[in-house]
Amino acid sequence: MLFVDGISIFLACADHLRSGFWIFRQPKAAQIEDGLRLKLKGIHMTHRIRIRSAIKSCIASLFFAASTAGAQASFPAKPVTLVVPYGAGSTTDLYARILAEGLTSELKQAVVVENRPGAGGTVGIGQALRAEPDGHTLMLVTSSSIAINGSLYTSLPFDPAKDVSVIAVLNTTPNALIVPASAKETNFAQFAQRIQSGKHFYFSQGSGTSQHLSNVLLGRVLKADLEHVPYRGQEGIAGMLGGQTEFGFASLPSILTLAKGGKLRILAVSGSKPVPSMPDIPTLASLGYKDFAAGEVWYGVGVSAATPATVKEQLSAALDKVAEKPEIRAKLNQAGFEPVAPMTAAQRQAFVDQQVEFWGRLVRESGAKVD
């Protein structure tokens, strides 16, 4: 009898909850209490207390499950913006547009790329963080915007390590050590021997970029006297080809066409493994310079840390699926981006922490600072 009465009370309360769920901000709890009192009349006091406690627990569980399901079902409720904190036509912009194409298909909502360049990526990241943290504003994140800028900039309106949640690390590309095609050295050993004596000049895409910091690391491991000549963006490559500097690092996608066209020579690459499309180009790590194993440029997606956990998980799963799509992977491979195996949230955080430490140490070693 007690069991039957308990079930009947539970169903009555569930009925109350279901009918009043969407107006739960009204005094619905009081109505449910009234219903409980009516149903419990005539039941022994001891049993009444037990039943009341059980029913309240069930109601709480039902409310939580219903609210969670409702939130998940409603996302995404509108087009999604992918903020790219670099200019149109940049390597990062190219990457973002390929990714947005696949994500549009996966989310069944338009994913619009919005370029917001400036201050090494901090302008775009700051704008994305000011948007409503509901998952409809994503940001393209990289080694620079997350792992470098926190140490490079003396004053940021946000903390990349705390205010941004990296929900996917999808691809990497190495920094390639390049020289003009006219250079005498045809391999890294010859190059190293030459620059270990005298003073030599290298280009970078700007102070504090991963390419600048890779040159800093190179100077340290070779004990070479190197002079930094910073340029804006890809102008440094033209400067090297024009004889203004001797060598430098560049992201692989940015120099693939020039390398294939015989304009410049790749001597080695950063990262832990060779580029599949260029198996004859050694990694610096394989040549004995182990610190370069962590020096790849990585690309991923972030959201505001205040975004609901369920939305982060949904986006992370969708992005992993996009990265596995054969047509997306083929486009990224062709552009010089290598895939990263899917990571758990814990693995992703450990990777980001390691990258913050690696690049932060090089920023401090270089003495680079931006106000």
Side-chain angles (χ1 to χ4, degrees):
M1 180 66 181
L2 176 62
F3 176 77
V4 172
D5 284 337
I7 290 295
S8 123
I9 294 168
F10 173 76
L11 291 175
C13 291
D15 231 21
H16 275 295
L17 181 64
R18 186 168 55 250
S19 64
F21 175 74
W22 296 113
I23 54 168
F24 202 75
R25 290 177 182 154
Q26 305 299 324
K28 199 48 133 182
Q31 295 175 30
I32 293 175
E33 282 291 323
D34 290 343
L36 270 173
R37 274 193 286 274
L38 288 172
K39 291 287 182 179
L40 289 171
K41 281 183 178 179
I43 296 178
H44 189 277
M45 178 61 73
T46 303
H47 293 158
R48 193 184 302 178
I49 292 171
R50 290 175 182 170
I51 292 172
R52 187 190 296 272
S53 175
I55 296 303
K56 284 184 176 179
S57 295
C58 290
I59 289 172
S61 299
L62 279 172
F63 178 76
F64 176 78
S67 63
T68 301
Q72 290 176 330
S74 64
F75 180 83
K78 59 184 178 180
V80 174
T81 299
L82 176 58
V83 176
V84 179
Y86 301 97
S90 63
T91 299
T92 311
D93 177 63
L94 167 67
Y95 177 83
R97 292 181 187 281
I98 296 173
L99 191 64
E101 176 189 334
L103 196 55
T104 292
S105 172
E106 189 63 33
L107 293 179
K108 304 297 188 289
Q109 277 282 6
V111 177
V112 181
V113 172
E114 187 175 305
N115 296 93
R116 285 291 179 267
T122 62
V123 171
I125 298 294
Q127 175 178 311
L129 289 174
R130 288 191 294 272
E132 187 70 25
D134 58 5
H136 290 92
T137 301
L138 314 178
M139 59 194 90
L140 204 291
V141 294
T142 66
S143 313
S144 294
S145 60
I146 300 300
I148 294 176
N149 285 352
S151 297
L152 179 64
Y153 283 82
T154 56
S155 178
L156 280 177
F158 57 88
D159 184 339
K162 294 180 180 178
D163 297 331
V164 178
S165 286
V166 178
I167 56 172
V169 176
L170 302 172
N171 293 88
T172 62
T173 186
N175 275 322
L177 175 61
I178 59 174
V179 294
S182 58
K184 293 180 180 179
E185 53 269 18
T186 58
N187 58 52
F188 180 80
Q190 294 170 350
F191 167 82
Q193 184 177 19
R194 181 173 71 84
I195 70 164
Q196 283 175 317
S197 62
K199 192 179 191 69
H200 300 277
F201 296 85
Y202 68 86
F203 77 88
S204 84
Q205 289 76 0
S207 183
T209 59
S210 67
Q211 293 80 25
H212 169 214
L213 300 177
S214 295
N215 280 300
V216 170
L217 179 56
L218 183 70
R220 187 224 298 166
V221 298
L222 293 181
K223 297 180 174 59
D225 184 6
L226 306 180
E227 184 75 23
H228 180 208
V229 182
Y231 287 80
R232 296 186 63 174
Q234 302 306 311
E235 294 173 4
I237 297 171
M240 181 194 73
L241 294 178
Q244 297 168 16
T245 58
E246 302 167 62
F247 67 94
F249 280 90
S251 67
L252 187 62
S254 70
I255 51 91
L256 271 179
T257 301
L258 290 171
K260 290 176 180 177
K263 300 291 185 183
L264 53 80
R265 186 177 300 133
I266 302 174
L267 299 179
V269 294
S270 65
S272 58
K273 55 187 179 182
V275 178
S277 61
M278 299 179 171
D280 295 334
I281 304 296
T283 66
L284 287 158
S286 71
L287 296 174
Y289 306 105
K290 302 299 184 184
D291 283 353
F292 278 97
E296 289 178 307
V297 178
W298 54 269
Y299 299 81
V301 175
V303 294
S304 165
T307 304
T310 53
V311 173
K312 290 181 188 177
E313 291 165 6
Q314 186 175 340
L315 283 167
S316 181
L319 287 161
D320 283 342
K321 288 181 181 178
V322 169
E324 292 296 322
K325 290 177 180 287
E327 65 276 19
I328 298 298
R329 179 169 283 201
K331 288 180 180 180
L332 291 172
N333 282 347
Q334 187 176 6
F337 299 96
E338 294 301 320
V340 172
M343 300 181 188
T344 64
Q347 289 171 330
R348 200 160 50 241
Q349 189 58 55
F351 171 79
V352 171
D353 290 345
Q354 181 269 339
Q355 285 285 289
V356 168
E357 169 59 27
F358 173 79
W359 290 110
R361 186 171 65 250
L362 285 174
V363 169
R364 293 187 292 273
E365 183 180 336
S366 74
K369 280 293 176 187
V370 179
D371 294 327

